[in-house]
Amino acid sequence: MPYESIVAMHVTDPAGYAAYRAGMTPILRRYGGGFRYDVIVSDTLESAAPHPINRLFAIFFRDPAARDAFFADPEYLRVRAEHFVQSVGGFTVIAEHERE
C-alpha cells in the first residue's frame, strides 16, 4: 500500500530548492516515489511549526521501506547536501500515512 508524507517547509532560496528537486526527482522515481501535491503557500493562518511555511507537499513511496531506502541512498544524500541544506530554512512532517 502506498505510503505518503505531508511536509511543510520554509524555502529560503527558490533557485537552490529547484536545483534540489531537479536532482532528487529521478532518484525518487527509482524508489517508486513521487509528489501528489506541491503548493507554494501565500498565507499561513495557523502553524505549530517552529519556522515559517511557504511550501507544502505530499510525497509518496510504494511503502515505508522504499522511503527509508530513498533517504539513505548515497546519491540522494549528495544532492541533499549540495542543494537542500542551504535552500531550506526548516521543514516539518505534518503527517504520514498509508494511502489506499
Side-chain angles (χ1 to χ4, degrees):
M1 192 172 289
Y3 192 79
E4 183 174 76
S5 299
I6 310 299
V7 181
M9 288 194 335
H10 180 215
V11 175
T12 56
D13 175 6
Y17 185 71
Y20 163 74
R21 287 290 288 266
M24 64 80 81
T25 298
I27 305 164
L28 176 65
R29 288 191 179 130
R30 285 199 311 259
Y31 286 92
F35 293 94
R36 286 194 339 117
Y37 299 97
D38 188 7
V39 179
I40 294 175
V41 177
S42 61
D43 293 311
T44 301
L45 303 178
E46 189 170 333
S47 173
H51 53 79
I53 295 171
N54 59 7
R55 192 78 173 246
L56 184 71
F57 61 86
I59 186 171
F60 68 87
F61 297 90
R62 65 179 163 263
D63 54 39
R67 177 205 57 201
D68 295 346
F70 166 75
F71 285 115
D73 182 284
E75 186 179 357
Y76 168 75
L77 293 172
R78 180 191 57 75
V79 169
R80 186 181 194 287
E82 188 174 326
H83 300 291
F84 183 89
V85 174
Q86 52 271 40
S87 63
V88 174
F91 71 95
T92 300
V93 177
I94 294 174
E96 295 183 300
H97 59 272
E98 288 186 335
R99 195 171 51 88
E100 292 187 27

